[in-house]
């Protein structure tokens, strides 16, 4: 399963570091472009949150709980734990008659600089609502209310996770290759890069008037682009990219170098995995692919932010830059 | 220049991510162990700070300025910018009759959590003394006082950098393969991984009663292990590793996945480069090599910290772990 060189870091006229990986662009007729190995087996990690949220919507649980579009965005989010995020999650739980202790994601210091400072400089400890996956877990709790399952909703045999697994296998078109425990304790199902891209293509091509599942997919992808700041946060790649593409494309990062994109106008899905797991490279690679597909204006500032032709040091001197490897896009 | 798989990340029974690279263990008779390509050309980045500090000592500049061992440690440091570090650098500059504005490294928010918080939560801006290379640059300024050069001591043709280049070429045994501009604006000379390991072996085998340069090398490696907290900082890999090995081995990280080690008891030098530039992998790989060479006790807690067999998520559940790739150590 040999990955292909995708992103290079250059300094002083020499190639200093290289990131290799796998990427697939999937269209209505199947895989249209492949870099690396389409059948590389990966953990999608957070990139598949919109798949994990399908049962929440298609089951009727979201509507039974009166969820708004912003809740669906949070259900797909790896949020930064800013006040914006934690207040929304706290309110969601409260509306369910639930609280922080009902979550099963664990707590960590959030990424948002202000929030992080607060926890570094005071005695306060973060709660589970600060966990970047707390929106996804609030979605699980909402589904659980509907399915009337027990409290341990992240167990692999719990009705919530069985519903997630079924949706995952159906939209990827693969029996899961295995599963791992994610950082947030939810199961993360493994699949090939191609299968993940196929799932994103399903989301892209889904019509609101289609099946229950297609309608759910449409609602989720629309929620992501309607609330890009909830899906990630200020200065985050997902938020900046979705804003740059004016709501036309939904993107989602996953830990360990994963990125996906849903392009409804093109009816295409994209999935990529950087073999070494590095986020700077997954951000650069998804940016390159989005430009290549004509979905992202190469002159938009976000392109230079995520795939900088020119990198500068602490005195602003040019030191080198990032490039697409030969043969990539 | 094919790198070799060195460090793997496992989750749920699958290999999730892989880091490949190059590593050389160099002894009195030459390269003894090679993983990847010994002739891979790299930028050592900060890992060669002790080489860059040779002229400071061998020229007599350090003694003329009355520098103590802690200054030599700072000259080799990529410090965290904690109060410990910035106070020491500020005092050093003051003793030289110089100040922050004489530095040419640029300013950045330091890594130390308390210091970082200060700059995130107040209007204060970091000075150049907060730059992780400010100790190295104070060494350059001290040498410059001795050489009576102009103020722009990071320019490639400045006497300070010419002296550094000469020392670099002589201890690596190679004409430099090129040079880049480092994050701190100093030139960073390129060399092969083997040549960097050869230079570390020079430092390891140097005798205090040897040549002026050998004596300088001994003083610098001793300074690093005498003040591990100055060379990096609390919770940093270099500091933890040097403490774990009880002063017997000097190690130094370099940006973009570089790590070196100086083993005087074994008269060996080690250099490694992770091809994708990732620090988590360079820390794991140097740890593996140090254990393999018998220099680091495999039962020491730092081994599990830097090369964790067991990784846990935010609820303390085991999710997977790091492993040495087959064929590495």
């Amino acid at each position: 399963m040999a990955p292909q060189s995708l992103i290079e870091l250059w300094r002083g006229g020499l190639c200093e570091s290289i990131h290799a990986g796998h990427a697939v662009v999937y269209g209505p007729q199947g895989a249209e472009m492949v870099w690396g190995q389409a059948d590389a087996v990966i953990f999608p990690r957070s990139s598949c949150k919109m798949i994990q949220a399908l049962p929440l919507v298609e089951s009727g649980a979201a509507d039974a709980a009166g969820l708004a579009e912003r809740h669906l965005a949070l259900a797909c989010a790896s949020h930064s734990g800013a006040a914006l995020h934690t207040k929304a999650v706290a309110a969601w739980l409260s509306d369910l008659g639930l609280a922080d202790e009902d979550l099963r994601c664990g707590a960590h210091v959030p990424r948002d600089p202000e929030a992080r400072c607060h926890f570094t400089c005071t005695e306060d400890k973060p709660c589970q609502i600060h966990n970047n996956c707390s929106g996804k877990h609030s979605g699980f709790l909402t589904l659980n209310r509907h399915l009337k399952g027990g409290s341990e909703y992240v167990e692999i045999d719990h009705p919530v996770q069985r519903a997630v697994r079924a949706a995952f296998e159906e939209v990827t078109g693969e029996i899961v290759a295995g599963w791992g425990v994610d950082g947030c304790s939810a199961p993360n199902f493994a699949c090939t890069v191609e299968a993940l891209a196929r799932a994103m293509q399903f989301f892209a091509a889904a019509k609101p008037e289609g099946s229950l599942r297609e309608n759910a997919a449409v609602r989720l992808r629309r929620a992501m682009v309607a609330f890009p700041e909830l899906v990630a946060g200020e200065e985050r790649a997902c938020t900046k990219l979705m804003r740059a593409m004016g709501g036309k494309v939904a993107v989602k990062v996953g830990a360990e170098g994963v990125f996906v994109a849903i392009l409804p106008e093109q009816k295409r899905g994209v999935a990529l995995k950087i073999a070494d797991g590095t986020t700077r490279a997954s951000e650069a690679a998804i940016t390159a692919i989005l430009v290549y597909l004509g979905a992202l204006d190469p002159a938009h500032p976000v392109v230079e932010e995520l795939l900088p032709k020119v990198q500068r040091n602490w005195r602003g001197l040019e030191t080198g830059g990032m490039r697409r490897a030969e043969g990539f896009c």
Side-chain angles (χ1 to χ4, degrees), chain A:
Chain A
M1 288 204 323
Q4 178 171 343
S5 291
L6 301 179
I7 298 294
E8 300 172 347
L9 281 298
W10 284 73
R11 179 181 301 266
L14 294 176
C15 179
E16 180 170 27
S17 301
I18 303 182
H19 295 278
H22 316 276
V24 174
V25 176
Y26 205 95
Q29 258 76 60
E32 298 179 351
M33 298 165 212
V34 178
W35 294 277
Q37 303 286 130
D39 62 355
V41 174
I42 68 166
F43 285 108
R45 303 297 291 278
S46 290
S47 75
C48 70
K49 278 173 166 162
M50 74 294 284
I51 302 177
Q52 292 171 300
L54 281 170
L56 165 66
V57 183
E58 65 196 17
S59 67
D63 292 337
L67 297 189
E69 202 172 36
R70 68 183 183 280
H71 297 99
L72 301 188
L74 280 168
C76 299
S78 300
H79 64 70
S80 292
L84 163 77
H85 305 111
T86 50
K87 283 181 181 169
V89 171
W92 185 352
L93 291 174
S94 174
D95 289 346
L96 285 173
L98 296 173
D100 195 85
E101 61 258 26
D102 296 298
L103 290 167
R104 291 293 179 266
C105 49
H108 64 71
V109 174
R111 188 194 299 245
D112 174 70
E114 253 189 70
R116 193 175 61 220
C117 253
H118 176 82
F119 292 112
T120 310
C121 302
T122 69
E123 298 292 315
D124 291 350
K125 301 259 175 284
C127 303
Q128 297 190 91
I129 56 169
H130 296 100
N131 184 307
N132 77 103
C133 297
S134 65
K136 175 176 91 178
H137 282 246
S138 297
F140 287 155
L141 284 168
T142 305
L143 174 62
N144 198 27
R145 150 92 24 108
H146 196 72
L147 300 182
K148 301 181 173 20
S151 61
E152 305 314 306
Y153 63 85
V154 291
E155 295 296 311
I156 190 70
D157 293 325
H158 189 285
V160 164
Q161 299 307 326
R162 290 174 70 91
V164 168
R165 178 178 186 159
F168 189 91
E169 289 187 328
E170 287 154 28
V171 300
T172 58
E174 277 183 7
I175 311 273
V176 297
W179 63 277
V181 177
D182 215 329
C184 69
S185 300
N188 198 243
F189 299 107
C191 63
T192 60
V193 178
E194 177 166 6
L196 186 59
R198 179 181 299 124
M200 295 306 123
Q201 197 277 333
F202 166 79
F203 271 80
K207 295 181 168 65
E209 68 275 17
S211 65
L212 264 179
R213 173 162 290 159
E214 280 188 68
N215 182 272
V218 171
R219 290 176 67 180
L220 287 162
R221 79 180 189 222
R222 284 180 178 171
M224 290 176 69
V225 300
F227 294 93
E229 70 286 358
L230 290 183
V231 174
E234 294 308 315
E235 295 311 309
R236 298 272 302 282
C238 290
T239 299
K240 294 198 287 189
L241 284 168
M242 285 195 280
R243 283 174 176 163
M245 293 181 288
K248 296 186 177 191
V249 178
V251 301
K252 185 73 189 76
V253 70
E256 290 299 320
V258 182
F259 235 111
V260 299
I262 297 165
L263 294 79
E265 286 188 356
Q266 302 188 18
K267 295 188 169 46
R268 276 172 161 158
V270 181
L272 69 88
K273 159 77 177 182
I274 301 299
D276 56 72
T278 311
T279 300
R280 74 175 176 187
S282 66
E283 293 177 349
I286 196 68
T287 297
I289 291 175
L290 291 167
V291 169
Y292 187 63
L293 297 180
L296 175 59
D297 175 6
H300 193 288
V302 74
V303 176
E304 185 61 16
E305 285 165 22
L306 298 180
L307 214 173
K309 285 195 194 66
V310 175
Q311 287 176 310
R312 297 183 181 282
N313 68 14
W314 301 116
R315 278 176 62 207
L317 302 175
E318 182 173 339
T319 55
M322 260 191 190
R323 296 184 199 174
R324 290 174 286 108
E326 198 173 323
F328 176 51
C329 288

